[in-house]
Amino acid sequence: MVYRYPNGKPYRPSEGKQKRSPQYQRESFSNRGMTLEEDINETNKYYLENGIAVIHKKPTPIQIVDVHYPKRSAAVIKEAYFKQPSTTDFNGVYRGHYIDFEAKETKNKTSFPLKNIHPHQIQHLQRVKAQDGISFILIRFSLTEQIFLMNTDDLLVFWERMESGGRKSITRNEIEDCCHSISLGYHPRIDYLAVIDKIYFETRAER
Amino acid sequence: MVYRYPNGKPYRPSEGKQKRSPQYQRESFSNRGMTLEEDINETNKYYLENGIAVIHKKPTPIQIVDVHYPKRSAAVIKEAYFKQPSTTDFNGVYRGHYIDFEAKETKNKTSFPLKNIHPHQIQHLQRVKAQDGISFILIRFSLTEQIFLMNTDDLLVFWERMESGGRKSITRNEIEDCCHSISLGYHPRIDYLAVIDKIYFETRAER
């Protein structure tokens, strides 16, 4: 099933909905068929419940066209469309700092295609950076389940390379060179704030 | 008790609570029928376009039940319901700080009923406070078009009074005593960051 935006482009909540091969499913800490988004939601829930951070996924923006108001029951939306999000998926607060990020999965093995990121999301990340927010993207290579955190600064280098006629993707090697790898854990599943501690606070927060 | 920010600076409630004279209210910046949300969206747009802050309204959360996928056109949501938001309406980043607030209008003249705020929103504001985020509510008395910014700390005092059996609203006088009044302007319409500057940064940011 493909959701489509009004411009006809398919909406992909994440590419990871597809079933994974049995080998990966059998591994320890394996993804158990969870999408990157689901893993991050679980991670954020863990952060929230343990007082570590307050980070939520933003609801998907919907253009509502028609709503019915039946007597004695909840309003029913009868016609609505998916809108292209104008910002990133996740934001919140951690140790007084604003956190903002987008999460993307790819089934590619050797590179991350930049078409996964929309220009307005790049603009949003730039604006957040200008306000001294902490922003980044999380990239998962779904076939190997490897997860990387890439700073907005690094992302912008590759984005500008593409804009000036260069390659339209970031190679796996480049990602391994500039990004921070995040091991898949149990609780939390994807401890991206441990990387943020390392990059921004130098010391690990008491957990 | 002195509340301190991560940089060690003490929190000082601003003394400037410019009460607006009735004459001023009659002046030209009248609301022209715009809702509080629309005014805040315009204000946030102004902040965004002028590089002052990156603050957005979160999309309304929707529970999607049925989607149709017509060939060669956008997916149509045929049945969906409004979900109760679990957080506040607006968040973003300003001068490196996380900003989070809820905006509420009342047609009451003499008090603000606390039933306008949901318990989960109170919990969210408390969590944001625990992470040293800047959080507050904006209250508009729609009949007089007066707008007030109330800190989460103050809101919690009135909320706890209600929880312990006290009155279920905040009187207009209490609001005038503890809140910061915001004059309705033209660009931006509701310059709540000017109040945040006063409370948290002591100096007004260059605009």
Side-chain angles (χ1 to χ4, degrees), chain B residues 18-19 28 37-38 42 49 84 102 116 120 134 157 159 165 167 171 181 193:
Chain B
Q18 323 95 329
K19 282 173 193 134
S28 54
E37 183 179 311
E38 287 166 336
E42 278 219 352
E49 286 170 354
Q84 187 105 331
E102 183 66 23
N116 280 302
H120 55 258
I134 294 175
V157 170
W159 188 264
R167 58 179 299 146
T171 70
S181 170
L193 289 180

Side-chain angles (χ1 to χ4, degrees), chain A residues 1-4 48 51-53 56 59 62 64 75 77-81 87 91-96 98 127 131, chain B residues 48 51-54 56 59 62 64 69 74-82 87 91-96 98 127 131:
Chain A
M1 272 203 313
V2 181
Y3 294 45
R4 284 183 187 278
L48 190 69
I52 294 165
H56 289 278
I62 305 280
I64 296 169
I77 298 161
K78 285 293 195 185
E79 186 185 352
Y81 299 90
T87 63
N91 76 351
V93 59
Y94 174 54
R95 300 173 77 175
Y98 177 74
R127 284 167 164 166
Q131 283 296 326
Chain B
L48 190 70
I52 294 166
V54 182
H56 290 278
I62 305 280
I64 297 170
Y69 301 91
V76 190
I77 297 162
K78 284 294 195 183
E79 185 186 352
Y81 299 89
F82 295 99
T87 64
N91 76 352
V93 60
Y94 174 54
R95 300 173 76 174
Y98 177 74
R127 283 166 164 166
Q131 284 297 325

Side-chain angles (χ1 to χ4, degrees), chain B residues 5-147:
Chain B
Y5 293 101
N7 63 6
K9 280 194 183 167
Y11 160 78
R12 290 199 197 91
S14 168
E15 285 136 36
K17 280 170 248 148
Q18 323 95 329
K19 282 173 193 134
R20 280 189 292 152
S21 64
Q23 295 94 292
Y24 186 86
Q25 288 165 32
R26 280 198 296 270
E27 275 171 23
S28 54
F29 297 130
S30 78
N31 194 258
R32 296 173 305 187
M34 287 179 85
T35 64
L36 179 56
E37 183 179 311
E38 287 166 336
D39 274 339
I40 294 170
N41 285 340
E42 278 219 352
T43 302
N44 288 341
K45 198 176 159 211
Y46 173 89
Y47 289 152
L48 190 70
E49 286 170 354
N50 290 276
I52 294 166
V54 182
I55 297 167
H56 290 278
K57 184 183 178 299
K58 288 184 207 166
T60 307
I62 305 280
Q63 180 70 50
I64 297 170
V65 175
D66 187 27
V67 185
H68 288 204
Y69 301 91
K71 275 181 188 164
R72 284 181 213 83
S73 63
V76 190
I77 297 162
K78 284 294 195 183
E79 185 186 352
Y81 299 89
F82 295 99
K83 285 199 294 187
Q84 187 105 331
S86 56
T87 64
T88 46
D89 268 354
F90 299 90
N91 76 352
V93 60
Y94 174 54
R95 300 173 76 174
H97 292 265
Y98 177 74
I99 302 281
D100 193 303
F101 65 99
E102 183 66 23
K104 292 292 181 193
E105 268 180 298
T106 180
K107 280 195 261 186
N108 276 32
K109 285 178 188 169
T110 54
S111 69
F112 174 75
L114 282 163
K115 66 164 192 259
N116 280 302
I117 313 278
H118 304 295
H120 55 258
Q121 292 180 318
I122 294 287
Q123 189 185 25
H124 175 73
L125 291 168
Q126 283 171 318
R127 283 166 164 166
V128 167
K129 185 169 118 71
Q131 284 297 325
D132 291 322
I134 294 175
S135 67
F136 53 89
I137 61 168
L138 292 180
I139 297 172
R140 170 142 81 187
F141 287 95
S142 46
L143 292 179
T144 56
E145 294 194 352
Q146 279 179 288
I147 302 159

